């Protein structure tokens, strides 16, 4: 049981390049989330999914797209990377989406956009 | 929409000192409250959570937090810190009801414990 995993762990992009971050969970969780972490700002929700085939916008969705084609995977895409997207990205999941559920986080992806 | 404020950005303590980290939230309805910890180079882990019952909640590693509804606060405490408690601590809330489990985080407090 690996929990929540993220690929890649580190990435450096040039402005305008695209990339996809992969999040995978093996806990059969329904809900998945993408956050970004910036110094002094905590974690902010980018997008989330309440089940396979569904996605919804979070607090800071601009410049990102997501897809949840399989229940266990949640992909975060940057179509045209900008320096403002330099951040650490965390994926998380919960079993049922109840407000009392504990979120399980992945190890993070550190992205630098030059 | 709810918001969370952590007043201390960086706290520096010596081992065996007592710790209290402040957390205040803003939301008019029912909330569920969480404290997460992020050790250097690691992912976030749950320390404790409150959603009902006894407002004094005990978590892992000797941490506890008290929910004071009248003050919209959920402060984290530990009587005696250790060097291994050096980490960043995040307070977070979810709104009760249909919130889809979305967490709203505070800005985080970096705790440095000197041996």
């Amino acid at each position: 049981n690996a929990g929540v995993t993220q690929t890649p762990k580190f990435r450096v992009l040039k402005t305008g390049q695209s990339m996809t971050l992969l999040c995978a969970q093996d806990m059969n969780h329904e809900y998945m989330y993408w956050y970004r972490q910036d110094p002094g700002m905590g974690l902010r929700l980018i997008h989330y999914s309440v089940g396979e085939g569904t996605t919804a916008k979070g607090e800071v969705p601009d410049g990102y797209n997501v897809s949840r084609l399989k229940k266990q995977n949640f992909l975060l895409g940057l179509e045209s990377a900008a320096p403002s997207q330099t951040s650490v990205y965390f994926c998380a999941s919960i079993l049922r989406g109840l407000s009392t559920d504990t979120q399980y986080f992945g190890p993070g992806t550190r992205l630098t956009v030059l | 929409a709810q918001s969370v404020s952590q007043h201390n950005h960086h706290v520096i303590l010596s081992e065996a000192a007592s710790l209290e980290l402040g957390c205040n939230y803003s939301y008019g309805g029912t909330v569920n409250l969480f404290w997460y910890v992020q050790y250097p180079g690691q992912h976030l882990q749950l320390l404790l959570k409150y959603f009902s019952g006894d407002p004094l909640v005990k978590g892992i590693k000797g941490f506890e937090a008290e929910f004071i509804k009248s003050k919209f606060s959920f402060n984290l405490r530990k009587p005696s810190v250790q060097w291994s408690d050096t980490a960043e601590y995040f307070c977070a809330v979810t709104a009760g009801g249909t919130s889809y489990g979305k967490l709203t985080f505070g800005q985080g407090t970096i705790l440095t414990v000197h041996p």
Side-chain angles (χ1 to χ4, degrees), chain B:
Chain B
Q2 61 269 31
S3 65
V4 180
S5 179
Q6 293 179 243
H7 310 296
N8 311 103
H9 176 63
H10 194 179
V11 173
I12 301 173
L13 296 173
S14 298
E15 275 193 321
S18 64
L19 170 71
E20 181 161 2
L21 301 182
C23 172
N24 287 90
Y25 67 92
S26 173
Y27 185 68
T30 303
V31 294
N32 305 290
L33 298 145
F34 304 79
W35 275 99
Y36 281 86
V37 61
Q38 185 178 31
Y39 297 104
Q42 296 188 25
H43 60 281
L44 276 77
Q45 303 170 42
L46 181 70
L47 269 181
L48 49 79
K49 66 179 180 180
Y50 170 82
F51 50 91
S52 67
D54 189 343
L56 184 60
V57 182
K58 295 191 184 300
I60 61 171
K61 305 186 179 186
F63 286 91
E64 64 179 31
E66 185 175 14
F67 171 51
I68 302 179
K69 189 175 182 180
S70 61
K71 295 185 178 180
F72 298 89
S73 70
F74 190 55
N75 292 354
L76 182 71
R77 301 194 293 247
K78 186 171 185 179
S80 177
V81 295
Q82 300 173 315
W83 176 79
S84 58
D85 292 324
T86 294
E88 188 163 14
Y89 293 79
F90 294 94
C91 182
V93 304
T94 59
T98 310
S99 66
Y100 303 111
K102 293 181 290 179
L103 282 166
T104 299
F105 284 88
Q107 304 91 325
T109 298
I110 298 169
L111 172 64
T112 301
V113 180
H114 291 302

Side-chain angles (χ1 to χ4, degrees), chain A residues 31 33 35 37-45 48 50 57 90 94 97-108, chain B residues 9 32 34 36 38 41-44 46 49 51 88 90 94-97 99-108:
Chain A
Y31 286 53
Y33 309 84
Y35 295 91
Q37 182 185 22
D38 302 293
M41 302 186 75
L43 281 78
R44 292 177 293 168
L45 183 64
Y48 65 101
V50 302
K57 294 180 180 179
F90 287 97
I94 58 176
L98 298 180
S99 59
T100 54
D101 282 350
T102 299
Q103 289 197 15
Y104 293 86
F105 285 83
Chain B
H9 176 63
N32 305 290
F34 304 79
Y36 281 86
Q38 185 178 31
Q42 296 188 25
H43 60 281
L44 276 77
L46 181 70
K49 66 179 180 180
F51 50 91
E88 188 163 14
F90 294 94
T94 59
S99 66
Y100 303 111
K102 293 181 290 179
L103 282 166
T104 299
F105 284 88
Q107 304 91 325

Side-chain angles (χ1 to χ4, degrees), chain A residues 1-113:
Chain A
N1 193 333
V4 181
T5 58
Q6 293 182 230
T7 310
K9 289 185 169 50
F10 303 93
R11 186 72 186 270
V12 178
L13 291 178
K14 294 181 179 178
T15 297
Q17 288 185 316
S18 63
M19 78 164 293
T20 300
L21 283 66
L22 170 64
C23 174
Q25 52 89 8
D26 61 0
M27 298 176 284
N28 202 33
H29 284 179
E30 289 292 334
Y31 286 53
M32 298 185 74
Y33 309 84
W34 275 107
Y35 295 91
R36 60 176 289 173
Q37 182 185 22
D38 302 293
M41 302 186 75
L43 281 78
R44 292 177 293 168
L45 183 64
I46 304 172
H47 285 281
Y48 65 101
S49 168
V50 302
E52 183 178 319
T54 73
T55 63
K57 294 180 180 179
E59 179 186 354
V60 289
D62 293 343
Y64 305 95
N65 57 75
V66 287
S67 64
R68 182 103 181 264
L69 299 179
K70 294 182 178 180
K71 184 177 183 178
Q72 62 268 33
N73 296 336
F74 194 29
L75 280 64
L76 178 71
L78 286 73
E79 290 186 347
S80 179
S84 60
Q85 294 177 304
T86 293
S87 187
V88 181
Y89 292 85
F90 287 97
C91 177
S93 70
I94 58 176
L95 181 59
R96 297 165 295 177
L98 298 180
S99 59
T100 54
D101 282 350
T102 299
Q103 289 197 15
Y104 293 86
F105 285 83
T109 295
R110 185 173 295 275
L111 174 66
T112 301
V113 182

